[in-house]
Amino acid sequence: MTDDHTQRALAILAAIGTGAVPLDPFTANAHWWWNGGLDLPVAEFAALLADLHGRTEDGIAITPGLTMADGDSVMIEATSAARLTNGRVYANRYIFLFHFTGDAIREVREYSDSAHVNATFDLAGPMGGG
């Protein structure tokens, strides 16, 4: 099961680059938590990501690094790269924790440099929320 979980988690990170996170790999009540001050239902996170994607030239490429799986959880270290339409460069480091119920993702916990996200994308508060 852990190999399947790892592949599902990696597929979500690859989808971030397209700006469209598919909702079908998630449980109905799944949420995306970010250390910058967000805890959103996955559909709301997907909408926010689409907005951020629209500010980039070619999306936000996520490159996975170390991956570890244990039981119903997968941890992935990753880096990102994106050029924004305003000329800025977004490059961050992450730890993503994916928690599963059966084959479905119930929660993603994303740890990154929130100050870099807010400054690069000109966001007023947590992901533009205030």
Side-chain angles (χ1 to χ4, degrees), residues 27-115:
T27 62
N29 61 348
H31 59 104
W32 196 291
W33 177 93
W34 175 60
N35 67 293
L38 292 180
D39 191 357
L40 299 172
V42 170
E44 288 182 34
F45 170 78
L48 178 61
L49 177 63
D51 174 61
L52 295 179
H53 179 80
R55 300 179 193 196
T56 69
E57 291 181 1
D58 295 312
I60 302 170
I62 303 290
T63 303
L66 177 67
T67 302
M68 298 168 53
D70 184 30
D72 69 349
S73 298
V74 174
M75 184 280 306
I76 302 172
E77 285 185 332
T79 58
S80 66
R83 180 165 299 282
L84 278 61
T85 56
N86 65 9
R88 291 183 181 165
V89 173
Y90 176 67
N92 214 333
R93 295 180 182 268
Y94 307 84
I95 297 288
F96 291 97
L97 295 176
F98 290 81
H99 298 289
F100 289 79
T101 297
D103 289 337
I105 302 166
R106 74 172 183 270
E107 177 185 45
V108 179
R109 296 182 68 80
E110 173 187 340
Y111 299 86
S112 66
D113 180 349
S114 58

